[in-house]
Amino acid sequence: MEIEYKKIINQKMGKEAKARGFKMVSLSPGISKWPIAIFKKSVDGHSQKYDINLDLVYNKVIFRCGKNTIEKKYEDEESYTNIILECAKFMNETGFKMLDEKIANEPGFRVEDHRRILEGYQKLADEFVNKNNIDETIAFGDRIYLIVSKINELKNMDWGSIKEELLLIGAYYCATLLTYPDTRIGGLEAGMIKKPDRSTIYGSNGIVDPLFNVYNAWMKDDDESIKRSCADVMAKEEYEAFDWKF
């Protein structure tokens, strides 16, 4: 009887993978190799993946998750099923946790960070003001200059140690943009894209993703993104005439 390779993977691994948000794809078999199951998932722009390949020459299952590999030869359906069960056991006991920890340690704001901004940006902005002894009456342009300066102070530092401070800067950035008339904060709704958990500022001329801009300014030295975003809340003439300190 011919082994039902994909069906067995679906039976033994598919349900758990689907419950965790992974999608399984299968490529066509080649002459010697068959990428029979590639499990993929995207979390806040970061990808997770593990896969199973069949060596069609030596009748081997080759499973990979990060640097972890299971490579074993099968002889029949029973031995093949046992190998797939071993792969499933690894994912359930170690693999999924390992993939999640890897993403947790990678720089970048997550959905929960956007939720914190959406639900309490003013409280977080006040915390930033009090922590840094900032004069709340300073002008808009001075606020923007301060935001960029504070981000620059944190460059070349470990993400884990400065993420919370960057989040507070992001909250102050939101509060600053929202001082302009006809601005509001909410989830992202742009065309066919709808992300209710994305902290987005809607201005009279466009939309701003404050946490994205803060991250880019820190990670990619894109200070100008902070300045450019002001054009989305200010009148064109005012923006062009503004006395920027950059």
Side-chain angles (χ1 to χ4, degrees):
M1 182 179 71
E2 185 176 348
I3 300 174
E4 296 186 85
Y5 297 104
K6 290 171 65 174
K7 182 178 180 181
I8 292 170
I9 292 174
N10 265 317
Q11 288 176 338
K12 307 304 179 185
M13 300 181 73
K15 184 177 180 180
E16 184 65 28
K18 185 177 181 180
R20 293 175 180 268
F22 285 87
K23 291 184 178 180
M24 188 187 99
V25 297
S26 179
L27 303 181
S28 300
I31 297 174
S32 61
K33 184 181 178 182
W34 184 5
I36 190 169
I38 304 170
F39 294 90
K40 293 182 177 181
K41 176 183 177 182
S42 179
V43 180
D44 294 328
H46 299 274
S47 61
Q48 293 183 330
K49 189 186 86 163
Y50 59 100
D51 56 70
I52 299 173
N53 291 274
L54 297 185
D55 184 325
L56 301 175
V57 176
Y58 297 101
N59 288 350
K60 284 184 179 180
V61 172
I62 305 170
F63 165 85
R64 293 190 182 91
C65 178
K67 296 181 180 180
N68 299 274
T69 303
I70 296 173
E71 186 171 338
K72 290 189 174 182
K73 190 172 182 178
Y74 61 91
E75 297 176 353
D76 51 26
E77 184 172 298
E78 182 180 1
S79 58
Y80 172 80
T81 301
N82 287 335
I83 297 170
I84 299 303
L85 285 170
E86 184 178 344
C87 297
K89 182 180 180 182
F90 172 84
M91 289 306 303
N92 293 336
E93 294 181 354
T94 305
F96 292 122
K97 181 180 178 182
M98 180 190 72
L99 291 174
D100 288 340
E101 287 177 348
K102 181 177 183 296
I103 282 186
N105 292 325
E106 289 181 350
F109 289 111
R110 308 291 187 249
V111 168
E112 56 267 26
D113 300 316
H114 285 275
R115 286 179 184 152
R116 287 180 65 191
I117 294 292
L118 281 168
E119 295 169 3
Y121 73 88
Q122 189 60 62
K123 181 179 179 181
L124 293 169
D126 291 342
E127 182 179 341
F128 175 76
V129 167
N130 295 331
K131 184 177 180 181
N132 293 278
N133 297 314
I134 297 168
D135 180 359
E136 294 187 69
T137 65
I138 62 175
F140 181 87
D142 292 327
R143 287 189 176 203
I144 297 298
Y145 178 72
L146 175 65
I147 289 165
V148 172
S149 298
K150 288 296 183 181
I151 293 172
N152 286 335
E153 289 176 8
L154 302 174
K155 285 180 179 176
N156 301 316
M157 296 179 68
D158 177 68
W159 172 258
S161 66
I162 53 88
K163 175 186 173 182
E164 184 66 18
E165 186 64 22
L166 285 174
L167 184 74
L168 295 182
I169 293 172
Y172 182 71
Y173 180 24
C174 284
T176 297
L177 294 177
L178 289 167
T179 61
Y180 262 80
D182 301 319
T183 58
R184 65 178 178 86
I185 187 170
L188 177 63
E189 293 187 13
M192 298 298 291
I193 302 172
K194 296 187 185 299
K195 295 182 178 180
D197 293 318
R198 196 80 178 181
S199 55
T200 305
I201 300 293
Y202 291 82
S204 56
N205 302 316
I207 61 175
V208 184
D209 186 333
L211 289 187
F212 178 80
N213 286 349
V214 167
Y215 175 77
N216 269 358
W218 175 80
M219 185 73 174
K220 302 178 182 179
D221 293 325
D222 187 13
D223 295 345
E224 284 290 316
S225 65
I226 306 294
K227 172 185 169 183
R228 288 193 304 269
S229 69
C230 297
D232 293 312
V233 300
M234 302 169 72
K236 181 180 179 182
E237 298 77 13
E238 184 181 6
Y239 177 78
E240 291 176 348
F242 211 86
D243 183 21
W244 299 104
K245 295 184 179 182
F246 294 82

